[in-house]
Amino acid sequence: MTFDAFFNEKLDGLKKEGRYRVFMDLERHAGQFPRATRHVDGVQKPVTVWCSNDYLGMGQHPKVLAAMHEALDACGAGAGGTRNISGTNHYHVLLEQELADLHGKEAALLFNSGYMSNWTTLSTLASGLPDALVLSDAGNHASMIEGIRHSKAEKIIFKHNDMAELESHLKQHAGKRSIIIAFESVYSMDGDFGKIAEIVALAERYGAMTYLDEVHGVGLYGPRGGGLAEKLGLMDRIDVIEGTLAKAYGVVGGYITGSAALIDYVRSFASGFIFSSALPPAVAAGACAAIQHLKSSQAEREALVARVAEVRAGLDRMGIPTLPNPSHIVPVMVGDAAKCKWISDYLLEHDGIYIQPINYPTVARGKERLRITPQPCHAAEDIAHLLVSLNALWKQCALARAVA
């Protein structure tokens, strides 16, 4: 078998299962998003996006765009190198100060993505601490899993949000090893919350380090957008808070915040940071503007809550099955990979609605879904069109309805 034959065989398998992923060629329209243009074989088709992680529409906010234009004109396009070799721009310094302040920490460190910040930091901490053991929630993101795996430290995966199991592992190993508890605030596929207060209490009792991924929480929760930990008043009791600039803040990049010593340790020993070119200054400037705005503005968060409630209420009225959760994420449960892909394709082609299907391995087999993310920029007519389209599709395909 040739190499290409092997690759094609594996790809054919994905296609037969309905798990083959197709990139959508979209052109976002600033000031009009969630309106976008879809490019298909030279033809342009209008779509409304319902699965973006630009949760608050900050990617088109005038303050963000103005800050990026200003930095681009002042500094040019790229950073010019790694942070150690000519790549540290004053905008990076200002952004790290904003992030440290956001989470009430001594320091912050920027990365090129949230994936990189998780992968690099967990790998560096778990490989560096003496006799490290990582206790990892079963629902953790792939970036956390890969970082822990790369560290070669021992790991124990505890059942999602199972505090009894977590404590049993802490009891067994506390005082003997360096323990890191890795978990998330908002789990992006089910939309449920991590048990932050309970985990923090256990960590303090048994002397473990806490590593919290706030990727789907920053900007969205808390009085200044510091995430779910801020909303709960727990930021000062968490050792590492990690987040992203690519979702609620509307640009790109990741970061960690923590004590000055911890941040300097990662900065000094993490190869994923040391050998990566820095974020473009314009991106840092845009992120800084978004964070500053959301520290004081509640309008975007309040509008998001209202849109989510409207969508959920409409789906419930029609009996379209969703996964209940307290967050901004609305999973419509399908339970079959091929059907999930077909529904997504039908909505796109017939109704101009773009919702990406979520299949294995992102979720377990049998848990396939459409992941809807309502946003402040979705108008009443957008919501009505979504609900009418889904209701007609469920009826046409005789799909199971939720029982009231």
Side-chain angles (χ1 to χ4, degrees):
M1 178 183 290
T2 65
F3 293 123
D4 279 353
F6 169 81
F7 301 145
N8 285 323
E9 179 183 331
K10 293 299 181 182
L11 291 170
D12 288 342
L14 288 178
K15 292 173 182 176
K16 288 176 183 176
E17 292 181 44
R19 297 196 296 116
Y20 181 72
R21 301 176 189 227
V22 178
F23 286 158
M24 201 60 55
D25 187 352
L26 296 178
E27 182 182 344
R28 289 166 55 111
H29 302 307
Q32 300 175 42
F33 195 75
R35 303 287 181 273
T37 296
R38 176 183 170 223
H39 294 262
V40 188
D41 299 326
V43 178
Q44 298 182 9
K45 299 181 179 181
V47 297
T48 301
V49 180
W50 276 97
C51 55
S52 173
N53 283 341
D54 184 2
Y55 293 131
L56 298 176
M58 293 304 293
Q60 61 183 352
H61 195 283
K63 289 182 181 178
V64 175
L65 299 184
M68 295 185 74
H69 280 297
E70 181 181 344
L72 184 64
D73 291 338
C75 300
T82 67
R83 290 288 295 277
N84 289 307
I85 303 176
S86 81
T88 296
N89 188 279
H90 188 54
Y91 285 106
H92 297 131
V93 176
L94 294 175
L95 176 53
E96 286 173 340
Q97 291 171 354
E98 284 290 342
L99 290 165
D101 173 77
L102 176 67
H103 294 293
K105 299 299 183 185
E106 292 178 341
L109 190 66
L110 288 172
F111 293 84
N112 288 5
S113 70
Y115 193 104
M116 185 183 290
S117 55
N118 268 336
W119 188 94
T120 302
T121 304
L122 281 167
S123 175
T124 302
L125 292 174
S127 64
L129 288 170
D131 195 21
L133 169 67
V134 184
L135 302 179
S136 179
D137 189 288
N140 281 346
H141 189 264
S143 57
M144 303 173 78
I145 295 167
E146 288 299 327
I148 295 165
R149 179 181 296 150
H150 185 260
S151 74
K152 294 184 170 58
E154 183 183 353
K155 70 175 182 297
I156 297 175
I157 300 170
F158 62 92
K159 292 177 184 176
H160 178 52
N161 275 344
D162 189 326
M163 296 300 98
E165 183 183 351
L166 174 60
E167 184 168 18
S168 71
H169 296 310
L170 287 167
K171 282 180 178 178
Q172 181 180 353
H173 298 284
K176 306 170 188 175
R177 310 185 64 174
S178 302
I179 301 175
I180 303 170
I181 306 175
F183 60 109
E184 299 183 34
S185 64
V186 182
Y187 287 85
S188 63
M189 290 300 116
D190 287 354
D192 62 327
F193 291 164
K195 295 188 176 181
I196 302 177
E198 293 90 336
I199 291 174
V200 166
L202 288 173
E204 291 172 343
R205 186 181 309 163
Y206 293 100
M209 173 185 287
T210 44
Y211 183 101
L212 175 63
D213 176 323
E214 278 272 26
V215 160
H216 294 274
V218 291
L220 301 168
Y221 300 94
R224 300 198 311 156
L228 193 57
E230 184 194 26
K231 180 179 180 179
L232 298 172
L234 295 170
M235 291 195 300
D236 62 323
R237 296 169 62 189
I238 298 167
D239 295 299
V240 184
I241 297 178
E242 182 268 350
T244 185
L245 306 170
K247 294 181 171 57
Y249 294 125
V251 286
V252 68
Y255 65 87
I256 57 169
T257 63
S259 70
L262 185 148
I263 296 301
D264 200 20
Y265 176 82
V266 175
R267 184 188 71 86
S268 301
F269 287 94
S271 63
F273 172 81
I274 293 169
F275 296 105
S276 291
S277 293
L279 285 171
V283 169
C288 207
I291 293 164
Q292 289 171 346
H293 175 78
L294 290 173
K295 280 180 177 178
S296 59
S297 174
Q298 302 301 322
E300 291 81 8
R301 288 188 279 273
E302 290 171 356
L304 176 66
V305 170
R307 296 295 90 73
V308 170
E310 290 167 21
V311 171
R312 277 199 174 276
L315 293 171
D316 289 344
R317 283 195 306 271
M318 296 183 299
I320 292 179
T322 64
L323 193 64
N325 65 58
S327 77
H328 56 284
I329 296 163
V330 184
V332 171
M333 306 305 291
V334 178
D336 179 275
K339 286 182 181 178
C340 197
K341 176 71 166 61
W342 184 88
I343 292 169
S344 174
D345 290 345
Y346 187 96
L347 287 170
L348 185 64
E349 293 298 334
H350 294 269
D351 299 295
I353 292 172
Y354 175 43
I355 309 174
Q356 187 71 7
I358 306 296
N359 294 331
Y360 178 85
T362 306
V363 295
R365 297 181 192 276
K367 300 293 184 180
E368 294 83 2
R369 66 199 63 184
L370 302 174
R371 180 180 177 272
I372 298 175
T373 54
Q375 296 169 358
C377 45
H378 283 115
E381 54 267 29
D382 296 324
I383 296 174
H385 180 52
L386 171 70
L387 295 175
V388 167
S389 299
L390 283 172
N391 191 43
L393 188 55
W394 245 250
K395 186 181 296 183
Q396 174 185 335
C397 301
L399 294 167
R401 302 264 180 174
V403 178

